[in-house]
Amino acid sequence: MFDAVTMDRSKNSAFLQVGSVKVSDPFWGAFMERIRTKVIPYQWEALNDRVPGAEPSYSMRNFKLAAELTHPELDYGVPRDTGHGGRVFQDSDFAKWIEAASYSLIWHPDPDLEKLLDDAIDIVCNAQQSDGYLNTYYINTGLDKRFTNLKDNHELYCFGHFLEAAIAYYEATGKRKLLDALIRYAKCIDRLIGPEEGKLHGYPGHEIAEMALVRLYAITKDEKHLKLAKYFIDQRGQQPLFFEEETARNGNTFRWKDSHFQYQYYQAGKPVRDQHIAEGHAVRAVYLYSGMADIARLTGDKELLEACNDLWNNIVNRQMYITGGIGQSEYGESFTFDYDLPNDTVYAETCASIGLAFFARRMASIAPRGIYGDVMEKTLFNGIISGISLDGTSFFYVNPLEAFPESCRKDRRMSRVEITRQKWFGCACCPPNLARILASLGGYVHSVGDNTLYTHLFMGSEAKCKIAGADLSVKIKTKYPWEGKVDIRFEMTGRPRFTYGFRIPGWCQTYTVSLNGVETPCRVENGFGLIDREWKGGDTISLDLEMPVRFVRANPRVRANTGKIAVMRGPVVYCLEEADNGPGLYRIHVSDPLDPADPRDPADSGEPAGIKVRHEDNFLQGVTTIAFTGKREKDWPEDALYGTAKPVLEDKQLLFIPYYAWANRDKGEMTVWINS
Amino acid sequence: MFDAVTMDRSKNSAFLQVGSVKVSDPFWGAFMERIRTKVIPYQWEALNDRVPGAEPSYSMRNFKLAAELTHPELDYGVPRDTGHGGRVFQDSDFAKWIEAASYSLIWHPDPDLEKLLDDAIDIVCNAQQSDGYLNTYYINTGLDKRFTNLKDNHELYCFGHFLEAAIAYYEATGKRKLLDALIRYAKCIDRLIGPEEGKLHGYPGHEIAEMALVRLYAITKDEKHLKLAKYFIDQRGQQPLFFEEETARNGNTFRWKDSHFQYQYYQAGKPVRDQHIAEGHAVRAVYLYSGMADIARLTGDKELLEACNDLWNNIVNRQMYITGGIGQSEYGESFTFDYDLPNDTVYAETCASIGLAFFARRMASIAPRGIYGDVMEKTLFNGIISGISLDGTSFFYVNPLEAFPESCRKDRRMSRVEITRQKWFGCACCPPNLARILASLGGYVHSVGDNTLYTHLFMGSEAKCKIAGADLSVKIKTKYPWEGKVDIRFEMTGRPRFTYGFRIPGWCQTYTVSLNGVETPCRVENGFGLIDREWKGGDTISLDLEMPVRFVRANPRVRANTGKIAVMRGPVVYCLEEADNGPGLYRIHVSDPLDPADPRDPADSGEPAGIKVRHEDNFLQGVTTIAFTGKREKDWPEDALYGTAKPVLEDKQLLFIPYYAWANRDKGEMTVWINS
C-alpha cells in the first residue's frame, strides 16, 4: 500500500513544536482543558501524597529528603524519620508532571503554576550532587550503589524523563535552571558510561534517555549529547552483554532467567539492528524504537532504519489491538507473539500506546506516510484516552477490549484488569504520561520538510511556520472525529510556492478535496494528498472525508477475533457497554448490515439502512453514538450446560459508544469485538 | 428431567466392589492392562526416584528415612545425609500407588508385585510411631510440630490416602498389617482431634479422610470411624473457625488472605450445609462433597443431602467442561464462577475429574439417577483418561480444551498448560490417582439396593452379587463407546423376582430394549430403564443405543463458547488436532450438517450425509474417527491486522479424534470447540 521507507534524508521533515501550534479543537480542546484545569492540579496533589484514598506517590517527599541531604541548611519540612518512599523510579512521575505543566504554560500562562514549578525545580536542583548526579533513590539510600544496576533500577530512565521535563520547561519559559542541571547530569553520566576504557559499557534498563538526549541535542547542538544517545542505541545487546556482566559483578538478580524473555525483556538480548520483532516490555520497546528512529533520521543509518521499519510493521500488522493498544500480556507487561491479541486478559498499558504514538511521530519525521498518522490517531482517539476518566481524575493502567466484572474479581489471569479507573497507582507511570502527551498534542499536527508542509492529524488549531521563505499561518477548523469535514486555511506573506500534503486516513474510502470551494484533483502518494502550487493568503483547502460506520474484522490469524466484528466510524473504535445494552454482551450477534445482500435504504446516501448515527452533546461529554438492531441469544429453558438445541436469537436494540468513553458510568461489562 | 433426590433410604444402593466385578472390556480392558503392565511398574520406579529425566518423588526415600529413625537397628540404605524430600504431601503418592497395585492384584494375582507391596508396607509400618502416628514429613522433620497446621500441611490428607490404600490392600489380599496400622493411626487422630474439650476442633485442610473413614467403617463397623468422618464434615467451617485460630496460635501463614477465596479455598469458610456453590480448590471440593454424600447416605441427613444436591447441580449445570473437567483456574487450582469455562487457560486437573467421578458414584448410591452415570462416563471417557498417554508413561496434570503451542510457551496465563504429557511431576498427585481409579473401574458398574440391580456403566464384565436371595452373575458384552449395542446376560440360581435397572444415557435419544431377542417396552424413571420380572438363568437384555454424531452447543451463558459447537458421539467428546488438520484450527468453521435445512442422504439411516464415522483399529490404539467437510478462513492477501473484507472460506476436510487421544503424536494445536 505504501512504498517502503528507505533512507532518503530529503524526505525528512520536522514536526512543528507545541509552541508553534495552538490547539483550539472542540474534541481535543476539551481534553486539554481537563488536563490543565483538573489533571495537572490533581496530580500535583498526588505527587505530594495529598489525595485521600489514593496510593501515596512519595515523589516530592523523596526530592525534599534528597535536597535536605544535599543542602542541610535548608528545611523542606520532610519528616526526618521517613526514608525514601515508593518505587525506584518514582522521580520519573514528578518529571512527567513538570513536563505536562510546562506544555500547559505555553498556551495558558499561569503565574501560580509557574511559581509552583519554580519552587519545585529549586528543590530538585538543590538535590543535585556536586558532580551533577541527580536521582533521589540513590541520594536517599546510598550513593555508593549508584550505577550498579542499570538493568533494573531505572537511573537512566529517570534521567531521561527529567531531561524531557527540563527541555519542556525551558521551551515554555525560557528558564534554564533545570535544563542546566540536567546538562550537568548528562555530563556526569558521560564521564561514567561510554565506549572508552574504564567507563561502564552500559545503557538504560528502561529506555527513554535516547529520545530525550536527541531533543537535548536539538537545543544544544552539542555532539556529545547525540553521541551518548547513539551509544545507548549501538551498545545495546552487544556481546559481552553488559547486563549479564553487571548482574554477575554486583550480585544483582535477574528476574527473567527462567522466562522466554531472557534479556529481550529489556530489548537487550541482541544488537538493535538485529531486532525485527517487537519483544519484551512494551513501553520499554516503543521508547527504544522511538530513539532508534531519531538516531536513524539524524545519522542516516540505513540498517537502523530497516530495523525500525521491521519493528513498526511487526507491531502494526501483527501485535496491535484495534484501539492502538500494545503489549498483550501482564506477564512482564510485554508483547507476546504475532496475532496473539486476547481481548479480556489483555494488558495494553496506557503508556505503551503513548509510546507507540511517539514511535509513529518519529517515523513520520523520517518520511511522510499516512500509516504513521493513522496509528497516531488510532492510539489517541482510542487506547490513550481510554486511560483517563471523562472527569480527568481517575485512570486506567490496563485498557481491556472486553471486560466482564466477575472475571476481574475471580480470575487471576485478569488481576490487573480493572473495570473502574483508579485514582492513582503505586506504579503511577500512566497518569502523568497521559498529561504530558495530551498537553503537547499541538506537536503532532504538522511537519515541515523539503518545501512541503504535511498535516498528519486533523485538529482545530492555528500553527505558524516558515516555508519557502514565507511566514505561514495554518488554521484548521473541524468537528473531527465526529464529522469528516476539515477546513485548512492559509494566511501568509507573499505568494510562496510549496507543496501541501494532508493525510488521507487509511480508514477513508471516499473523500473530496476542494480548493477555495472548488473541487480539485490531487496527487496521492503514500497516504498523503499533495497539492503543489503557488499559494496566497486566504487559500482554503476543504477535505470532506466520508465517515460511514464500518464493520471491521481482524486478520484471520487473530485467534481471539474469529467470527467477530468491531464497529468503527472514522478513527473511533466503538464498544458496547452494559449500561446501555444490559448484561451478556458476549451473547450479542450482529449481522453485517453492510453486506451487499442486505437491504439498504435507497433514499439514504451514506449509512446502510437501520443504522442510526447521532451526535449527543450531553451524553458522555459529547459523543456520536451508533445504534442498530442486532440479535441476542435467548436463555435456554433448562438449567443445563450442554445440549444440541440451536441458538434462538431475538432482536436486540444496540447502542454503541466510543471505546474511550467506557467505564464512566455504572460498572459493568464492555466489549469491542462482537459476534457476527 | 430427573426428580430431585430426596432422602429416602429405601432408594440407597451399594456399588458392587472391585472384587465382585471382573472387567473384560475391549476399551477399558486395554486401559487397565496398561495400568497393570506399564503404569504400576513405571510409578514404582518413579516413587523410588529411578526414572531418568523425571522429577524425583522422594516418597520411598522418605519412608525409609522415617522407618530408620523409628527402628534405628534396621538399615534401609537411605543415605544418611539426605533429609526429607519433596512436598509435604509426598506420602500420598505412595499410598495411591499401593491402592492401585492392590486393585490390580485382585484380578491379576502377581506374587512379585505382592512381595514388592509387602516389603514396602513393612517399611511403612516400621515408620509408624508408638502412638500410631504415621506421616513421614513430621517424623523426618520434627514430631513436635505435628498437627500444628492441619490447614496446609496435608497430614489428614495423607492419612486418608493411606487408609484407602490399606483398605484396598486388605480387600485384595486379606492381609491386615497395613489396615491395622491405619486403624492405630485413626485412633491416634481420634485422641487428638474431636469435639471434646482439650482436643483440637479441627478437620482436614485437604479432604479425603472423610470418605476413607466411611470405607473403614464399612469394614470395621466401628462407630468411632463413622463418628470421626462425620465430625470432620460437621465441624468444617463452624465458628470460631479452626483454621483461623490455628493460624493465629501457631504463627502459620494464610496464603489466601488477599484473595476472594478466603477460607472457601478449603471449603471451610462456612458450615458445609450452608455451601451451595462449588468454590475453592476443585480437588479438595469434590473430595469433600463425596464425603458429605457418604455421610448423608449413612446418617439420612436431609440437610446435608440438600447441600450435596445443590453442589452437584452447580458443578454439572454451571461449572463443568464438556469433558467432565472441573476447576477452571490455575489460581488455587480452583473453581471460578458459574458459566466461566475458558478453553485455553483452563485447569481441569485430572484429579478433579477423578474426584467428580467419586462424587457421582456416591450420589448414585443415595438414589439412582441417570445423570450420575452420565457424569461418571463423561469424566471417564474424556477428562480422566486424557490425563494419561496411550503408552501409559506420561501424564497431564492440566487438561486443556484448546491448545496453542506458542501460547503455552509465551503466555504466562497458560504456564501450567502443557501440550506434551510429562513423565512425572514434583507434585505428582495425578498419575497414581489415575492408576487407582482405572484399576478399580469394576467398582463403578453396578449397584444393588431395594431388590433392584442397577447398571450405571456399560463395560464388558462379569459381576457376581446376591439379590432376592439368589446368587446372580451379570455378564456384559459391548463395544461401547464405539458401538451402542450392549448385551447383559444373567445367570443365577432359582427364579428370583427383582427389578433390573439400566441407565439410558442422557445423550441417547433413540434406543431399543430387547429381552431374549424380543423388543420389549420398559418403564423409564430418572434416567433408568426398569424391568421388573421373575428372572431365570440365560435371560439376556440387549440395549441398542443409537449413537449418531452430535453437534453440541454450550448454554448461551458460557462466554467462551458462543457460536461454537463440539462434536460428540455417544459419551465421547471429539477434538481436532493439528496432526490431522494442519495449523490454524481456530480458523475452522463448521456448519451444522444436522440442520434440517441441510441435505441428507435419504438412503442413509443414521448419520447425516457427508459425515464419515469409521473405526480404525490401528490408529491411536483403536478409535472411531469422524470426518466431514468444514470450512477454513483463507489468509488475507495483505499483511494487515484489520480490514473490512468479509472472511473468505474454503472447503476443508476435517478429521476428528476422541479428545482423550490427543497429544499422542507430534506437538501441535488442538481444539474441542469449533466455530459454527
Side-chain angles (χ1 to χ4, degrees):
Chain A
M1 190 164 160
F2 298 122
D3 293 348
V5 175
T6 52
M7 187 45 78
D8 174 356
R9 297 176 76 173
S10 75
K11 296 290 180 201
N12 290 178
S13 67
F15 272 82
L16 301 187
Q17 299 296 312
V18 184
S20 304
V21 186
K22 180 170 188 176
V23 177
S24 56
D25 187 71
F27 184 90
W28 289 113
F31 271 88
M32 294 170 84
E33 197 59 9
R34 219 173 286 148
I35 294 296
R36 189 177 73 84
T37 60
K38 294 270 184 71
V39 179
I40 291 173
Y42 176 83
Q43 294 191 350
W44 175 248
E45 295 305 299
L47 291 163
N48 283 278
D49 312 332
R50 293 190 297 245
V51 175
E55 294 199 47
S57 158
Y58 303 105
S59 283
M60 271 315 292
R61 204 188 72 173
N62 290 340
F63 269 104
K64 288 176 182 172
L65 187 62
E68 201 160 29
L69 295 170
T70 312
H71 295 262
E73 74 280 5
L74 299 173
D75 178 10
Y76 294 103
V78 63
R80 259 305 182 194
D81 56 347
T82 54
H84 188 89
R87 311 281 283 266
V88 72
F89 46 75
Q90 227 63 355
D91 289 4
S92 64
D93 294 341
F94 181 42
K96 289 186 221 173
W97 179 82
I98 295 178
E99 191 183 344
S102 300
Y103 295 136
S104 166
L105 283 182
I106 292 177
W107 291 106
H108 293 90
D110 177 341
D112 292 343
L113 178 61
E114 191 166 335
K115 172 79 168 56
L116 212 62
L117 278 161
D118 286 341
D119 291 348
I121 286 167
D122 283 346
I123 297 171
V124 171
C125 293
N126 282 343
Q128 189 165 35
Q129 305 297 296
S130 54
D131 66 352
Y133 186 78
L134 183 50
N135 179 294
T136 68
Y137 177 76
Y138 285 103
I139 294 171
N140 291 336
T141 67
L143 283 164
D144 53 317
K145 290 280 181 211
R146 65 186 190 162
F147 299 123
T148 57
N149 192 348
L150 296 188
K151 175 164 69 56
D152 292 316
N153 280 0
H154 290 74
E155 255 165 317
L156 296 175
Y157 170 76
C158 290
F159 160 71
H161 266 304
F162 252 103
L163 186 48
E164 296 244 27
I167 292 165
Y169 191 64
Y170 166 70
E171 288 178 345
T173 64
K175 294 179 185 170
R176 292 192 61 103
K177 182 168 183 175
L178 188 59
L179 185 64
D180 289 338
L182 267 293
I183 290 172
R184 281 196 301 280
Y185 190 13
K187 262 189 207 153
C188 162
I189 291 167
D190 235 346
R191 279 194 303 274
L192 289 159
I193 302 175
E196 296 82 2
E197 191 142 7
K199 291 189 182 179
L200 294 173
H201 304 321
Y203 37 85
H206 191 314
E207 302 90 334
I208 194 179
E210 301 81 354
M211 14 174 193
L213 283 162
V214 167
R215 281 183 79 181
L216 181 61
Y217 167 69
I219 292 173
T220 63
K221 310 292 182 212
D222 183 340
E223 291 285 339
K224 271 205 315 291
H225 300 140
L226 179 60
K227 208 181 118 203
L228 185 58
K230 188 169 175 326
Y231 180 72
F232 285 162
I233 299 283
D234 293 344
Q235 175 61 10
R236 192 166 207 92
Q238 297 292 350
Q239 289 295 340
L241 213 57
F242 176 77
F243 286 163
E244 205 159 32
E245 294 191 325
E246 180 194 59
T247 299
R249 186 168 55 244
N250 302 325
N252 300 336
T253 55
F254 177 38
R255 185 171 166 195
W256 311 104
K257 76 168 184 292
D258 297 322
S259 152
H260 69 280
F261 290 137
Q262 297 294 314
Y263 290 97
Q264 277 299 85
Y265 170 80
Y266 312 90
Q267 299 78 44
K270 46 195 166 189
V272 298
R273 288 169 187 77
D274 296 339
Q275 300 197 26
H276 305 283
I277 289 171
E279 287 179 306
H281 187 270
V283 177
R284 283 174 165 84
V286 282
Y287 281 19
L288 168 65
Y289 309 155
S290 299
M292 286 164 64
D294 275 339
I295 296 293
R297 176 174 53 81
L298 287 171
T299 62
D301 185 327
K302 287 180 188 173
E303 220 186 330
L304 196 56
L305 178 61
E306 271 169 35
C308 289
N309 276 330
D310 288 349
L311 292 163
W312 173 269
N313 288 330
N314 178 259
I315 292 174
V316 170
N317 295 332
R318 306 283 174 90
Q319 298 203 71
M320 180 183 71
Y321 288 95
I322 194 170
T323 55
I326 53 170
Q328 301 97 317
S329 176
E330 186 226 323
Y331 176 69
E333 311 188 308
S334 70
F335 288 103
T336 56
F337 57 92
D338 291 0
Y339 303 111
D340 181 50
L341 292 159
N343 294 307
D344 53 353
T345 60
V346 52
Y347 205 67
E349 183 182 338
T350 307
C351 284
S353 288
I354 291 172
L356 181 56
F358 295 162
F359 185 25
R361 182 172 177 271
R362 280 156 180 82
M363 291 301 285
S365 235
I366 296 175
R369 293 286 182 275
I371 184 72
Y372 302 129
D374 287 351
V375 170
M376 281 197 272
E377 74 171 10
K378 180 183 272 302
T379 57
L380 283 168
F381 283 112
N382 304 291
I384 291 177
I385 53 173
S386 60
I388 183 167
S389 64
L390 291 178
D391 67 2
T393 63
S394 60
F395 307 92
F396 275 141
Y397 196 109
V398 170
N399 295 277
L401 279 80
E402 180 184 326
F404 194 78
E406 205 163 5
S407 297
C408 297
R409 280 189 296 122
K410 296 185 179 169
D411 184 341
R412 280 290 158 131
R413 300 173 302 144
M414 296 178 213
S415 59
R416 291 292 302 270
V417 179
E418 305 276 358
I419 53 159
T420 311
R421 291 182 184 81
Q422 306 294 298
K423 288 184 175 181
W424 200 252
F425 307 90
C427 171
C429 50
C430 299
N433 223 1
L434 267 166
R436 71 183 187 121
I437 193 168
L438 293 178
S440 63
L441 277 185
Y444 290 77
V445 179
H446 306 286
S447 70
V448 175
D450 191 30
N451 206 42
T452 307
L453 170 72
Y454 297 101
T455 298
H456 301 266
L457 296 185
F458 305 118
M459 195 180 291
S461 57
E462 185 167 358
K464 293 196 187 308
C465 66
K466 275 201 183 304
I467 191 160
D471 287 315
L472 180 69
S473 145
V474 189
K475 207 173 218 164
I476 300 183
K477 276 188 70 173
T478 183
K479 291 181 181 164
Y480 203 82
W482 311 128
E483 297 179 17
K485 186 92 181 338
V486 183
D487 291 319
I488 302 126
R489 183 186 168 94
F490 293 152
E491 298 295 344
M492 68 198 79
T493 52
R495 299 195 61 146
R497 185 174 191 97
F498 64 88
T499 304
Y500 177 56
F502 44 89
R503 183 172 60 93
I504 297 162
W507 54 260
C508 182
Q509 297 301 306
T510 314
Y511 58 92
T512 57
V513 184
S514 307
L515 178 62
N516 299 326
V518 180
E519 199 172 320
T520 182
C522 66
R523 184 160 55 97
V524 176
E525 227 176 76
N526 291 317
F528 276 85
L530 299 166
I531 301 176
D532 179 33
R533 72 192 294 263
E534 194 174 273
W535 300 90
K536 62 176 192 305
D539 276 349
T540 300
I541 301 103
S542 295
L543 308 183
D544 205 344
L545 309 167
E546 272 195 33
M547 204 175 256
V549 173
R550 304 194 313 287
F551 279 41
V552 178
R553 288 174 191 273
N555 188 301
R557 290 172 183 264
V558 178
R559 298 186 310 292
N561 295 338
T562 308
K564 296 187 175 183
I565 60 101
V567 173
M568 290 187 72
R569 184 170 174 273
V572 177
V573 174
Y574 280 75
C575 70
L576 291 175
E577 213 182 4
E578 183 173 339
D580 306 305
N581 301 284
L585 300 180
Y586 56 89
R587 295 164 69 175
I588 287 174
H589 296 251
V590 297
S591 62
D592 187 343
L594 306 181
D595 192 318
D598 284 0
R600 291 180 190 231
D601 179 353
D604 186 59
S605 57
E607 316 300 344
I611 294 194
K612 288 195 179 52
V613 176
R614 185 191 316 238
H615 192 77
E616 301 194 50
D617 283 326
N618 298 316
F619 182 48
L620 297 167
Q621 307 205 0
V623 293
T624 295
T625 61
I626 297 171
F628 57 87
T629 306
K631 303 276 183 191
R632 186 177 189 280
E633 282 190 43
K634 286 178 85 159
D635 269 332
W636 279 1
E638 70 275 10
D639 191 12
L641 265 178
Y642 305 104
T644 50
K646 300 238 168 193
V648 179
L649 301 173
E650 59 190 345
D651 277 358
K652 166 84 187 152
Q653 187 61 24
L654 305 176
L655 182 73
F656 291 79
I657 62 163
Y659 167 73
Y660 75 79
W662 88 279
N664 278 288
R665 293 172 293 165
D666 288 345
K667 288 188 212 185
E669 296 178 37
M670 182 278 295
T671 191
V672 168
W673 291 95
I674 300 135
N675 305 301
S676 70
Chain B
M1 189 166 162
F2 298 123
D3 292 349
V5 175
T6 51
M7 187 47 76
D8 174 357
R9 296 176 77 171
S10 76
K11 296 291 180 199
N12 292 176
S13 67
F15 272 83
L16 301 187
Q17 298 298 311
V18 184
S20 305
V21 186
K22 179 170 188 176
V23 177
S24 57
D25 187 71
F27 183 91
W28 288 113
F31 270 88
M32 294 169 83
E33 197 59 9
R34 218 172 286 148
I35 294 296
R36 189 177 72 84
T37 61
K38 294 271 184 70
V39 178
I40 290 172
Y42 176 84
Q43 294 191 352
W44 174 248
E45 296 305 299
L47 291 163
N48 283 278
D49 312 332
R50 292 190 298 244
V51 175
E55 294 199 47
S57 156
Y58 303 105
S59 283
M60 272 315 294
R61 205 188 71 173
N62 290 339
F63 270 104
K64 289 176 180 173
L65 186 62
E68 202 159 33
L69 294 171
T70 310
H71 294 264
E73 73 281 5
L74 299 172
D75 178 10
Y76 294 103
V78 65
R80 261 303 182 196
D81 56 348
T82 54
H84 188 87
R87 311 281 285 266
V88 74
F89 45 75
Q90 226 65 354
D91 288 5
S92 65
D93 295 340
F94 181 43
K96 288 185 221 174
W97 179 83
I98 294 178
E99 190 182 344
S102 300
Y103 295 135
S104 166
L105 283 182
I106 293 177
W107 292 107
H108 292 90
D110 176 340
D112 292 343
L113 178 62
E114 192 166 334
K115 171 80 167 58
L116 211 61
L117 278 161
D118 286 341
D119 291 348
I121 286 167
D122 284 346
I123 297 171
V124 170
C125 292
N126 283 342
Q128 190 167 34
Q129 305 298 295
S130 53
D131 66 352
Y133 187 77
L134 184 50
N135 179 293
T136 69
Y137 177 77
Y138 285 103
I139 296 171
N140 292 336
T141 66
L143 283 164
D144 54 316
K145 291 281 181 210
R146 67 187 191 164
F147 299 123
T148 57
N149 192 350
L150 297 187
K151 176 165 65 60
D152 291 316
N153 281 0
H154 289 74
E155 251 165 322
L156 295 175
Y157 171 77
C158 290
F159 160 72
H161 266 302
F162 252 102
L163 184 49
E164 296 246 26
I167 293 166
Y169 191 65
Y170 166 71
E171 289 178 345
T173 63
K175 295 179 184 170
R176 291 192 61 101
K177 181 169 183 175
L178 189 60
L179 184 65
D180 288 339
L182 267 293
I183 290 172
R184 281 196 299 280
Y185 191 12
K187 262 188 207 153
C188 162
I189 291 167
D190 236 346
R191 279 194 302 276
L192 289 160
I193 302 176
E196 297 82 2
E197 191 143 5
K199 292 189 182 180
L200 294 174
H201 305 320
Y203 37 85
H206 191 314
E207 302 90 335
I208 194 178
E210 300 81 354
M211 17 175 192
L213 283 163
V214 167
R215 281 183 79 180
L216 181 61
Y217 167 70
I219 292 172
T220 63
K221 312 289 182 217
D222 183 339
E223 291 285 341
K224 271 205 314 291
H225 299 141
L226 178 62
K227 208 181 119 204
L228 184 58
K230 189 169 175 324
Y231 180 71
F232 285 163
I233 299 284
D234 292 344
Q235 175 61 11
R236 193 166 207 89
Q238 298 292 348
Q239 288 295 342
L241 213 57
F242 175 78
F243 287 163
E244 205 160 33
E245 292 191 326
E246 178 193 61
T247 299
R249 186 167 56 246
N250 302 326
N252 301 336
T253 55
F254 177 38
R255 185 171 165 195
W256 311 105
K257 77 168 183 295
D258 296 323
S259 153
H260 69 281
F261 291 137
Q262 295 295 313
Y263 290 97
Q264 277 300 85
Y265 169 81
Y266 312 90
Q267 299 79 44
K270 46 194 167 190
V272 299
R273 289 167 186 76
D274 297 339
Q275 299 197 26
H276 306 282
I277 290 171
E279 287 180 305
H281 188 269
V283 177
R284 283 173 163 85
V286 282
Y287 282 18
L288 168 65
Y289 308 155
S290 299
M292 286 163 64
D294 275 341
I295 296 293
R297 177 174 52 82
L298 287 171
T299 63
D301 185 327
K302 287 181 187 171
E303 219 186 329
L304 195 56
L305 178 61
E306 270 168 36
C308 290
N309 277 330
D310 288 348
L311 292 162
W312 172 269
N313 288 331
N314 178 259
I315 293 173
V316 170
N317 295 333
R318 307 285 174 90
Q319 298 203 71
M320 179 184 69
Y321 288 95
I322 194 170
T323 55
I326 53 169
Q328 301 97 319
S329 177
E330 185 227 324
Y331 176 69
E333 311 189 307
S334 71
F335 287 103
T336 54
F337 56 93
D338 290 2
Y339 303 111
D340 181 50
L341 291 159
N343 294 306
D344 52 354
T345 59
V346 51
Y347 205 67
E349 183 181 339
T350 307
C351 285
S353 288
I354 292 171
L356 181 56
F358 295 162
F359 185 26
R361 183 173 178 270
R362 281 157 178 82
M363 291 301 286
S365 234
I366 296 175
R369 292 287 182 275
I371 184 72
Y372 302 131
D374 288 350
V375 170
M376 280 197 271
E377 74 171 10
K378 180 183 272 300
T379 58
L380 283 167
F381 284 112
N382 304 291
I384 291 179
I385 53 172
S386 60
I388 183 167
S389 63
L390 292 177
D391 67 3
T393 62
S394 60
F395 306 92
F396 274 141
Y397 196 110
V398 170
N399 295 277
L401 280 80
E402 179 183 327
F404 194 79
E406 203 163 5
S407 296
C408 297
R409 282 189 295 122
K410 296 186 178 168
D411 184 340
R412 281 291 159 129
R413 299 174 303 144
M414 297 178 212
S415 58
R416 291 293 301 271
V417 180
E418 305 276 357
I419 53 160
T420 311
R421 291 181 184 81
Q422 307 292 298
K423 288 184 174 180
W424 200 251
F425 307 91
C427 171
C429 49
C430 299
N433 222 3
L434 267 165
R436 72 183 186 120
I437 193 168
L438 293 178
S440 63
L441 276 185
Y444 291 77
V445 178
H446 306 287
S447 70
V448 176
D450 190 31
N451 206 42
T452 307
L453 170 72
Y454 297 101
T455 297
H456 301 267
L457 295 185
F458 306 118
M459 196 180 294
S461 57
E462 185 168 358
K464 294 198 187 304
C465 65
K466 277 202 183 304
I467 190 159
D471 286 315
L472 179 70
S473 146
V474 189
K475 207 175 219 166
I476 300 182
K477 273 187 73 172
T478 182
K479 292 182 180 163
Y480 204 81
W482 311 127
E483 297 179 18
K485 185 94 180 337
V486 183
D487 291 322
I488 303 126
R489 184 186 167 93
F490 292 151
E491 299 293 345
M492 68 199 79
T493 53
R495 298 194 64 146
R497 185 174 191 96
F498 65 88
T499 304
Y500 177 56
F502 45 90
R503 182 173 60 93
I504 297 161
W507 54 260
C508 183
Q509 298 303 304
T510 314
Y511 58 92
T512 57
V513 183
S514 308
L515 178 62
N516 299 326
V518 180
E519 198 172 322
T520 183
C522 65
R523 182 160 57 96
V524 176
E525 226 176 77
N526 292 317
F528 277 84
L530 298 165
I531 300 176
D532 179 32
R533 70 194 294 263
E534 195 174 272
W535 300 90
K536 62 175 193 303
D539 276 349
T540 300
I541 301 101
S542 295
L543 307 183
D544 204 343
L545 308 168
E546 273 194 33
M547 203 176 261
V549 173
R550 303 193 315 287
F551 278 41
V552 179
R553 288 175 191 273
N555 188 301
R557 290 172 184 264
V558 178
R559 296 186 310 292
N561 295 336
T562 308
K564 296 187 174 182
I565 61 101
V567 172
M568 291 188 73
R569 185 170 174 274
V572 178
V573 174
Y574 280 75
C575 70
L576 291 176
E577 214 182 3
E578 183 174 338
D580 305 305
N581 301 284
L585 301 180
Y586 56 88
R587 295 163 68 174
I588 288 174
H589 296 251
V590 298
S591 61
D592 187 344
L594 305 181
D595 192 319
D598 284 1
R600 290 179 190 231
D601 179 353
D604 186 59
S605 57
E607 315 300 344
I611 294 194
K612 288 193 178 55
V613 176
R614 185 190 316 239
H615 192 76
E616 301 193 50
D617 283 327
N618 298 316
F619 182 48
L620 297 168
Q621 306 205 4
V623 292
T624 295
T625 61
I626 297 171
F628 57 86
T629 306
K631 302 278 183 189
R632 186 179 191 278
E633 280 190 45
K634 286 178 85 159
D635 269 333
W636 278 1
E638 70 275 9
D639 191 12
L641 266 178
Y642 305 103
T644 50
K646 300 237 166 196
V648 179
L649 301 172
E650 59 190 346
D651 276 359
K652 166 83 187 154
Q653 187 61 23
L654 304 176
L655 182 74
F656 290 78
I657 62 164
Y659 167 73
Y660 74 79
W662 88 278
N664 279 288
R665 294 172 293 165
D666 289 343
K667 289 188 212 185
E669 294 176 38
M670 181 278 293
T671 191
V672 168
W673 290 96
I674 300 135
N675 305 301
S676 70

